[in-house]
Every structure is written in structure tokens, then in C-alpha cells.
Amino acid sequence: MRPLTRTRRDNGQVYTREREVEAQVREISRLPARQRRERLLMKGQVWTDSARLREETLVYFAREFAAHGDENTAWQIIEVLVERTAAHIQRKLARWRLTSEDADDCVRDLFAAVCDALFDRTPSAEFWEVRFWVCLDRRLWNLIEKRQAVADTEMNPGDQAEDGEEERDSDRLFGRIADTGATPQALAEYEEALRLLNHNERTALYLIYVEGLPEESEDPNRPSVARALGVTGRSVRNYLRRAKDKLMAWERGALTA
């Protein structure tokens, strides 16, 4: 198995693959060439399938095939990854006010970035073999935010009010941190930030930015954050305000758990 060479910024240690990924890579590497290819290109597997390969495993072999000149197989493995991530990406895009054209452009730009990373032989691209979903979500958020910023400017030409800019920044930060992602790895990226919030602040954040509930509602039959927590709408807004202050400070590096 090709060893990783990328090091962590915090302590300089080399990144390591998860044990399940290492086991899958070793298992597939022992197969004859034809069986190896068939195993890697199995499509349509459900999340609970015990034989399902991890995305990081697919990334490893896509990069290996490309490095050894078999770009055809590398592209076929990338197609498997595209198929797996399509629904996840669409759920993410649906939470933003993008036009269908901008959303389509984000998808194209995202997969162009993924392909560039998978064919990149430098250590910086190895993180895709370690935390695939974290890498994918980071790239997608960056693309979405850039396009949303352009859309906001076009809708509100001229100078933007500082309060409005701060509100948009906090909304985007809330959206990133509240997103549970497709795997535990994506949520783990923000574990430190979530520990800064108390139970009510975390719950309010989740119900609004993940479940899409309103802060409060006069309709007794409509679920709301206030009703779920048994508090007033004013209390919910206070929870969100305190959460915003903590998380913005965390993003600036001024607050740690």
C-alpha cells in the first residue's frame, strides 16, 4: 500500500487512513487485475451493504490507476463517486437561494475540482484519501458561497450594510456547522465548535438550519423551534444570537472549546 506523506499542521504527524479503508485497500490489492476492477466498479450499492467500498478506498485506487497510466479505469471509478455523491450535493444546494443555472455551474465546478485533486500527485491531494466527505463539502461550500455572494450583490447593488453582511456571514457559518453531512466524518469537522454551544443553542441551530423549522408560529398545528423547546420566540432568537457570537468568535480563532 502506498504510504501517505501529507502531515498535519497542528503537530506535524503524517495523516493515517482509517482501519476499514486500509483493510479494503489491502484486500482489493491482492485480487487479480480483472476481479479488482470489477470490485471497484460495483454500482448501486446501498449504504448498509457490508461489501460497499468506502469513498476513500475508491479515491486511493482512482489515483493509483491514474498514476500507472490507466486513466480509463480511473475515470470509471470517478463516475462511481459522482453517482454516490449526487443526492448529497443536491440536498446541500437546495438550502441556498441559487438559480438552477448557478446550481448546475456549482456541480460542474465541484466535479472539475474533484477530478483535479484525484489526478494530483502532490501530498496536498492525499487528504481526499483520508476524509473524502470533508474535502467534498469544503469545496462545495466555497463554490456556493462565492456564487451566493455574487447573487446578493446583484440583487442589492451598491454598498452593502455592515449589519447585512454580518448576518449573511453568520447564516453561512450556521449552515456549515449545522450540516450533518453524509457521514460522521463531515460532522466531526465541527465537533469543537458544537461543544461551545449549550443544549438549547445546538437544538435551535439544528431545527432551523437542518430541519428548516421557523423560530415560532401562530399556527398551533405547525411545528416550530419555540414549540419544540417549550419557550418563546424571543428565547429562540436569544439562543441563536448567543450561538452566533460564540461561533463567529470560534471561526476567528478567538474562542476554543
Side-chain angles (χ1 to χ4, degrees):
M1 179 188 299
R2 170 178 45 79
L4 294 172
T5 59
R6 176 170 173 170
T7 56
R8 300 177 62 92
R9 292 182 179 179
D10 54 352
N11 56 20
Q13 293 182 352
V14 177
Y15 277 103
T16 59
R17 301 180 180 92
E18 293 187 18
R19 290 183 179 180
E20 182 183 1
V21 174
E22 286 199 353
Q24 289 182 347
V25 169
R26 294 185 189 282
E27 171 203 344
I28 294 172
S29 297
R30 290 194 292 264
L31 295 175
R34 181 176 178 181
Q35 293 181 22
R36 182 187 311 156
R37 187 174 180 277
E38 290 175 349
R39 179 81 170 88
L40 290 166
L41 299 181
M42 292 174 66
K43 298 184 179 183
Q45 293 175 314
V46 298
W47 285 102
T48 55
D49 191 336
S50 60
R52 180 185 176 90
L53 297 179
R54 291 282 298 273
E55 284 71 25
E56 291 82 359
T57 302
L58 293 173
V59 169
Y60 173 88
F61 282 103
R63 300 186 76 217
E64 284 298 289
F65 277 110
H68 289 85
D70 189 352
E71 292 193 0
N72 181 56
T73 300
W75 280 110
Q76 288 181 303
I77 295 174
I78 291 174
E79 288 176 4
V80 175
L81 287 167
V82 170
E83 178 186 279
R84 288 191 180 189
T85 57
H88 171 77
I89 292 168
Q90 291 304 319
R91 286 195 299 270
K92 299 265 190 181
L93 290 170
R95 296 172 185 162
W96 293 77
R97 304 185 309 276
L98 296 177
T99 65
S100 58
E101 181 178 355
D102 281 342
D104 290 342
D105 286 344
C106 276
V107 173
R108 284 193 293 270
D109 290 345
L110 175 64
F111 286 119
V114 171
C115 291
D116 287 344
L118 299 193
F119 285 100
D120 183 358
R121 303 305 301 172
T122 62
S124 62
E126 290 180 348
F127 197 52
W128 287 86
E129 298 180 28
V130 181
R131 291 289 186 272
F132 173 82
W133 289 101
V134 170
C135 290
L136 187 79
D137 285 345
R138 283 176 178 172
R139 295 293 181 94
L140 181 58
W141 279 116
N142 288 337
L143 290 168
I144 291 174
E145 288 180 343
K146 287 179 182 178
R147 291 193 175 276
Q148 187 65 68
V150 172
D152 288 344
T153 302
E154 291 175 347
M155 292 175 63
N156 302 285
D159 295 333
Q160 302 290 324
E162 291 185 4
D163 290 344
E165 289 181 353
E166 182 180 352
E167 189 68 25
R168 284 191 294 275
D169 288 343
S170 63
D171 279 346
R172 289 164 182 155
L173 177 61
F174 277 20
R176 291 198 304 272
I177 293 178
D179 199 309
T180 56
T183 67
Q185 292 94 325
L187 180 59
E189 184 183 18
Y190 297 109
E191 182 178 353
E192 178 185 358
L194 293 172
R195 286 201 301 267
L196 296 170
L197 310 182
N198 64 33
H199 172 73
N200 285 341
E201 292 163 355
R202 282 196 303 271
T203 303
L205 186 71
Y206 177 84
L207 292 177
I208 289 176
Y209 287 89
V210 177
E211 297 296 332
L213 297 185
E215 295 175 1
E216 58 183 332
S217 175
E218 296 181 356
D219 184 349
N221 296 318
R222 184 183 182 188
S224 69
V225 179
R227 187 165 292 116
L229 292 176
V231 299
T232 64
R234 181 177 180 179
S235 293
V236 172
R237 288 185 285 276
N238 285 335
Y239 297 151
L240 292 174
R241 177 181 55 78
R242 290 198 296 268
K244 180 189 75 173
D245 291 343
K246 292 177 183 177
L247 295 177
M248 295 296 283
W250 169 80
E251 188 171 52
R252 294 193 303 269
L255 186 63
T256 59

